[in-house]
Amino acid sequence: MQRSAPRLTRILACAAVPVMLVAAGCSSDSGSDGADGAPKQSPTAAASPSPTPTPTVEPAVYGELPEPCKAVAEVTIKDLVPEVKRKGGTPGQTSDTASRGSCSWNGLDDKGVKGSQYRWLDVSLLRYESDPSLGSGEQRATENFAKEVAKVKATQGAKDVKSAPAKGLGDEAMAIGYGLKKSDEDFTYAAIVTRTENVVVTISYNGAGFAGSDTPDREDLAKQATRAARDAVKAVAAANK
């Protein structure tokens, strides 16, 4: 019995080793999901994508339009439309005066048996605001400048349509001339489409000779229309000082 006690002690000590190792192994894994001891990231902890930056555009240069019926100088109206019916002009209807406006004048210079001369003048103003989804005001005006030119050229019934760049007007300008038969009379048309920054100005000027009077000269009408367009471009700049 004295010899068996040490032997029993050694057996118990050896039997305890695996238990300690197992316990040590369990304690080493506690709080760690990886072999290197670093905790694993949950799906929600993954880096989220960066938010898409909001697109920006240059602010529009012009934020106002001049009063359409005052966009052309009075002296110009007097020279272009003799015997004008309404010196103050007839404003066009619009629900957005900040973005669009128009005005027209007409008059008949009646000289009895010597014939009569009729004139009609119209100014149209379109302003384009900058919009992140549509582009800058200048870009939008440039696109619509081309559309306005195309629209004038495509006037129904227009004959002998001719166009050429007009110099010294805004950032870009086009002069368009054509003939048109109305009420059995031959009318001559001159149009100037101009872009100044984010505003598109269209001047339409036409005339006819009645009772044997000569049909207006196309080049003469074009010069007068250019004069009116120059007034309107200045008026846009003045409205934004």
Side-chain angles (χ1 to χ4, degrees):
M1 293 299 293
Q2 292 179 351
R3 293 180 179 177
S4 61
R7 180 181 179 186
L8 179 59
T9 302
R10 288 195 300 271
I11 292 174
L12 292 175
C14 292
V17 172
V19 176
M20 294 173 63
L21 290 177
V22 171
C26 292
S27 63
S28 65
D29 288 341
S30 176
S32 174
D33 295 324
D36 57 356
K40 293 183 180 179
Q41 286 186 324
S42 64
T44 56
S48 57
S50 301
T52 303
T54 302
T56 58
V57 292
E58 290 287 336
V61 174
Y62 292 139
E64 303 288 341
L65 285 178
E67 187 177 333
C69 291
K70 293 183 179 180
V72 180
E74 289 184 11
V75 64
T76 301
I77 299 296
K78 182 179 179 180
D79 291 344
L80 270 60
V81 189
E83 302 299 327
V84 61
K85 290 182 179 181
R86 293 184 61 180
K87 293 182 179 180
T90 302
Q93 298 297 317
T94 178
S95 59
D96 186 5
T97 56
S99 298
R100 61 182 63 242
S102 64
C103 190
S104 62
W105 299 260
N106 69 87
L108 179 66
D109 187 9
D110 189 351
K111 294 184 178 180
V113 295
K114 293 183 179 180
S116 303
Q117 285 289 330
Y118 173 80
R119 295 291 185 273
W120 184 83
L121 174 69
D122 178 88
V123 58
S124 171
L125 305 165
L126 297 171
R127 189 185 69 86
Y128 298 91
E129 190 59 80
S130 294
D131 187 308
S133 62
L134 300 175
S136 68
E138 182 176 353
Q139 178 185 343
R140 296 178 64 198
T142 299
E143 294 171 352
N144 283 279
F145 165 80
K147 292 179 180 179
E148 288 296 316
V149 170
K151 183 164 61 176
V152 173
K153 289 182 178 180
T155 299
Q156 187 175 5
K159 298 179 180 179
D160 192 24
V161 180
K162 294 182 180 179
S163 62
K167 298 180 180 180
L169 285 172
D171 296 292
E172 55 184 330
M174 186 70 70
I176 306 136
Y178 57 91
L180 189 64
K181 192 87 169 181
K182 293 196 305 182
S183 303
D184 296 326
E185 299 290 346
D186 292 319
F187 279 72
T188 302
Y189 278 73
I192 304 291
V193 182
T194 308
R195 179 184 68 81
T196 174
E197 300 292 355
N198 58 304
V199 174
V200 175
V201 177
T202 301
I203 295 291
S204 182
Y205 184 48
N206 68 77
F210 297 150
S213 188
D214 294 335
T215 300
D217 180 72
R218 180 180 291 196
E219 291 187 6
D220 181 59
L221 289 188
K223 290 179 181 179
Q224 301 291 5
T226 300
R227 178 182 172 184
R230 190 173 291 112
D231 285 355
V233 169
K234 290 180 179 180
V236 171
N240 288 273
K241 286 185 178 180

